[in-house]
Amino acid sequence: AIAKMDVGYSVVRPNYFMDGFLDLFKVDSSGNITMEVPIGDGKIGAIDPYDIAETSAALLAGGIPLNGHALLTGTENISMNRVADAFASVSGRKITYVSPDPATYRAALEIEGSASAGDIADIYEEVRSGTAEMVSNEVERITGTPARSIEQFASANVAAINAAISGAISGASVG
């Protein structure tokens, strides 16, 4: 509809926000920290929200519309093992990636009463099957700087990572 209006426009389409990984922490009764998501060895072209903001700001400041869309991803597809390693490195804690059975994971979401259990399970199935693997260079093309890596995201967000782990620890001790 916007394209038909004969006005300049730019649409940014981020693939997966790296800060979404912060919701995956679990802590067991022994204090073991895991990141749990049923994607097996799947990888995803995740992007740091900072890069989304930088790209959007560059488009606005540049005053030259794309008259189309820009798919925003990181510079490479990343695995959950790499995410866990990056978060462990900056937090100083041992963090392990665990890939539960997809059906069991979905059932647990449904038991928790998640209204979007099916949608969440479907997204993770896309990652597990490889259809979420996508990489674009749009961030660099628009801003002149490559998108940040998961390691850069982790370094810039140590406090958020530690807070998410603390929240998981609190949740484990309450439940």
Side-chain angles (χ1 to χ4, degrees):
I2 293 172
K4 293 177 183 176
M5 295 174 67
D6 197 31
V7 297
Y9 67 97
S10 299
V11 177
V12 294
R13 294 180 45 225
N15 187 40
Y16 183 87
F17 293 38
M18 287 181 182
D19 55 341
F21 296 133
L22 298 174
D23 294 330
L24 304 178
F25 290 111
K26 303 283 185 211
V27 180
D28 68 17
S29 60
S30 299
N32 297 311
I33 303 168
T34 60
M35 297 186 79
E36 295 187 14
V37 62
I39 63 171
D41 294 329
K43 295 180 179 181
I44 191 166
I47 185 159
D48 185 335
Y50 184 87
D51 288 321
I52 300 166
E54 286 286 304
T55 303
S56 299
L59 287 167
L60 288 169
I64 301 173
L66 296 174
N67 294 321
H69 74 273
L71 172 65
L72 304 182
T73 71
T75 59
E76 59 188 319
N77 290 301
I78 54 176
S79 69
M80 281 306 301
N81 280 317
R82 184 158 164 205
V83 173
D85 289 347
F87 288 3
S89 176
V90 300
S91 70
R93 301 169 189 243
K94 181 180 179 190
I95 301 171
T96 306
Y97 163 57
V98 174
S99 181
D101 172 71
T104 304
Y105 188 86
R106 181 181 183 141
L109 287 175
E110 291 170 350
I111 289 169
E112 291 172 8
S114 173
S116 56
D119 293 334
I120 293 168
D122 289 347
I123 290 169
Y124 292 147
E125 177 56 31
E126 287 183 23
V127 177
R128 195 166 60 80
S129 69
T131 59
E133 286 189 39
M134 54 186 74
V135 174
S136 77
N137 69 343
E138 294 294 316
V139 171
E140 184 170 10
R141 183 177 71 80
I142 294 167
T143 67
T145 304
R148 288 162 185 79
S149 68
I150 190 63
E151 290 80 11
Q152 289 169 311
F153 172 83
S155 293
N157 292 281
V158 176
I161 292 166
N162 285 326
I165 293 169
S166 293
I169 291 169
S170 297
S173 61
V174 172

